[in-house]
Amino acid sequence: MSSTFIISDNGGNLTKEIGKNSPVFIIAEIGSTHCASLETAILLINVAKAANVNCVKFQKRDVETLLTKVEKERKYKSKNAMAITYGDHRKVMEFSEDDFKTLKQEANRLGLFFTASGWDKKSIDFLDELDVPFIKVASADLTNLPLLEYIAKKKKPIFLSTGMCNMTDVQIAYDTIMKHENRIVLLQCTSSYPAPYAEINLNVINSYKKLFPETVLGYSGHEIGVIVPCSAVALGATVIEKHFTLNKDAVGSDHKTALDLTELGNLVNNIRITEKTLGSYEKEIQPSEQPCIRKLCKSVTSLLDIKKGTIITEDMITTKSPCDGLPANLFYETIGKVTKRDIPEDTTLQKDDIIFD
């Protein structure tokens, strides 16, 4: 197990360290927001590049092996339907293998990592042949132990979303993968569209820290807005995944909860700001605070004229700004000390004014 590991793409021309103490790895989930248009998918990749994400992600399904005959022929009456039956809807939304190769080439040309969620063994085989840098496992397959084991045997890093499950499910899935592959990213996730804020439960990230201390942690979000991923980063998430779209009113379930172009850029910027603000674990005075210290903090200050050789008593001194002498936290240490020189009234005491033992 490792809290960091390296991923590579484009024949090794792209490399990135994932995990603790590394910059947050941001995945722009295109998913189904391409509306079955290769041209739109390419445009989305270019938009993602402009927003400075690290990776673009799609979905890969083999409808024939993924769905039962009844499910394929089920009438699909959703307002998001692209065909009469659910099986045909899924087929319409599916890019060909050649399309995927084109999309990967475009992403890599722009310096972006490219991957997809594989929903079945045939799709996993294709993604392995495509040499994606890691395989994403959707929350729906966290309990699909045969598929998890099949993926793990490919010896690629696995990013595992953990929606629609409990902690026991996560532990079983984790143990199943670990038999064959230890490069795992656990993504806290609530798989509803949109996810209610009260059900996002980012504190699960803290639970994952305790249960899987050497594992990379992240967050895959389906909620509205850009605040929650930044909160996840503050809790220790080093991988963030979020859907985005060109048009929130387009046909499809992903569009309503996806970020638009402006929001995607804001997300990236806010995450980078969040990273900077986390900073050091040590509490120290910062360089930028020095001017404020002198102006606003207080020094030990004389309340009256104090002659040389006087033993200072509490009624002779107070604390006032500026902090250009003995700092206020030496107030009590100053009491009982002897002055080395005359100190005028309303003067900040200096270290050389007092005889310290």
Side-chain angles (χ1 to χ4, degrees):
M1 296 181 288
S2 176
S3 59
T4 62
F5 57 83
I6 303 292
I7 61 170
S8 63
D9 200 358
N10 192 25
N13 291 321
L14 288 172
T15 61
K16 180 78 168 62
E17 185 178 73
I18 304 294
K20 189 177 181 180
N21 300 324
S22 298
V24 173
F25 188 72
I26 303 174
I27 304 169
E29 166 68 274
I30 293 173
S32 300
T33 61
H34 49 72
C35 298
S37 165
L38 183 63
E39 182 179 288
T40 298
I42 291 172
L43 178 56
L44 282 161
I45 292 172
N46 281 264
V47 168
K49 173 62 178 179
N52 293 315
V53 306
N54 301 109
C55 178
V56 289
K57 189 179 83 67
F58 289 80
Q59 309 273 343
K60 188 74 180 80
R61 294 173 172 89
D62 177 57
V63 177
E64 293 304 319
T65 60
L66 180 65
L67 304 175
T68 65
K69 184 175 184 296
V70 170
E71 183 67 359
K72 281 186 285 188
E73 295 176 354
R74 176 173 62 87
K75 299 298 182 184
Y76 196 42
K77 298 179 181 180
S78 168
K79 63 181 179 180
N80 299 313
M82 303 289 283
I84 295 175
T85 65
Y86 184 66
D88 286 342
H89 165 80
R90 289 260 56 105
K91 288 178 182 178
V92 168
M93 295 301 296
E94 192 64 31
F95 285 133
S96 69
E97 292 186 355
D98 284 342
D99 289 340
F100 263 84
K101 292 174 183 177
T102 297
L103 294 171
K104 188 175 190 299
Q105 287 173 356
E106 178 66 5
N108 290 165
R109 182 185 72 81
L110 294 171
L112 294 174
F113 290 84
F114 177 94
T115 195
S117 297
W119 288 69
D120 51 81
K121 291 181 179 180
K122 184 176 179 180
S123 296
I124 294 301
D125 285 342
F126 169 69
L127 293 174
D128 187 35
E129 292 169 7
L130 193 61
D131 197 23
V132 294
F134 62 90
I135 292 176
K136 171 67 193 303
V137 179
S139 294
D141 281 313
L142 181 137
T143 56
N144 188 351
L145 302 185
L147 185 64
L148 290 184
E149 189 159 35
Y150 192 81
I151 294 170
K153 288 180 179 179
K154 297 295 184 182
K155 297 298 183 181
K156 286 183 177 291
I158 295 173
F159 288 35
L160 177 64
S161 277
T162 59
M164 299 185 288
C165 67
N166 59 36
M167 195 64 79
T168 299
D169 295 328
V170 175
Q171 184 70 65
I172 293 171
Y174 182 84
D175 291 343
T176 299
I177 294 171
M178 282 292 295
K179 293 174 185 176
H180 308 283
E181 176 58 59
N182 65 6
R183 292 169 297 173
I184 304 173
V185 177
L186 287 179
L187 301 169
Q188 165 59 359
C189 179
T190 300
S191 298
S192 46
Y193 300 82
Y197 295 125
E199 295 182 5
I200 288 172
N201 297 325
L202 289 181
N203 278 324
V204 170
I205 294 173
N206 288 323
S207 298
Y208 286 168
K209 286 180 185 178
K210 295 176 182 178
L211 290 170
F212 313 104
E214 299 299 322
T215 299
V216 178
L217 303 179
Y219 175 70
S220 178
H222 301 119
E223 74 290 332
I224 302 296
V226 301
I227 295 175
V228 175
C230 294
S231 300
V233 170
L235 287 174
T238 55
V239 174
I240 294 294
E241 178 184 63
K242 201 80 165 69
H243 287 261
F244 81 106
T245 181
L246 299 177
N247 178 10
K248 291 192 178 190
D249 294 322
V251 174
S253 59
D254 288 345
H255 296 282
K256 298 297 185 291
T257 59
L259 303 179
D260 62 24
L261 283 61
T262 300
E263 289 172 324
L264 183 63
N266 288 340
L267 174 70
V268 175
N269 290 336
N270 290 343
I271 286 174
R272 299 306 175 208
I273 290 171
T274 301
E275 287 179 300
K276 288 181 180 178
T277 60
L278 289 175
S280 173
Y281 286 91
E282 299 297 324
K283 181 57 183 173
E284 298 176 323
I285 296 172
Q286 300 303 306
S288 63
E289 294 180 306
Q290 292 297 338
C292 288
I293 288 173
R294 188 189 186 286
K295 178 181 179 181
L296 302 176
C297 292
K298 297 178 174 64
S299 300
V300 179
T301 305
S302 59
L303 283 171
L304 42 79
D305 291 336
I306 306 174
K307 297 298 183 181
K308 178 181 176 180
T310 300
I311 298 175
I312 297 175
T313 57
E314 187 169 351
D315 60 354
M316 295 178 181
I317 55 176
T318 187
T319 57
K320 291 185 180 182
S321 297
C323 185
D324 60 354
L326 291 176
N329 59 6
L330 293 180
F331 179 86
Y332 292 107
E333 291 186 36
T334 304
I335 296 169
K337 299 300 188 292
V338 178
T339 57
K340 294 168 61 177
R341 57 177 61 91
D342 291 344
I343 301 171
E345 178 186 350
D346 201 34
T347 300
T348 54
L349 276 63
Q350 305 299 312
K351 186 175 182 180
D352 289 343
D353 293 337
I354 307 295
I355 300 174
F356 284 96
D357 296 333

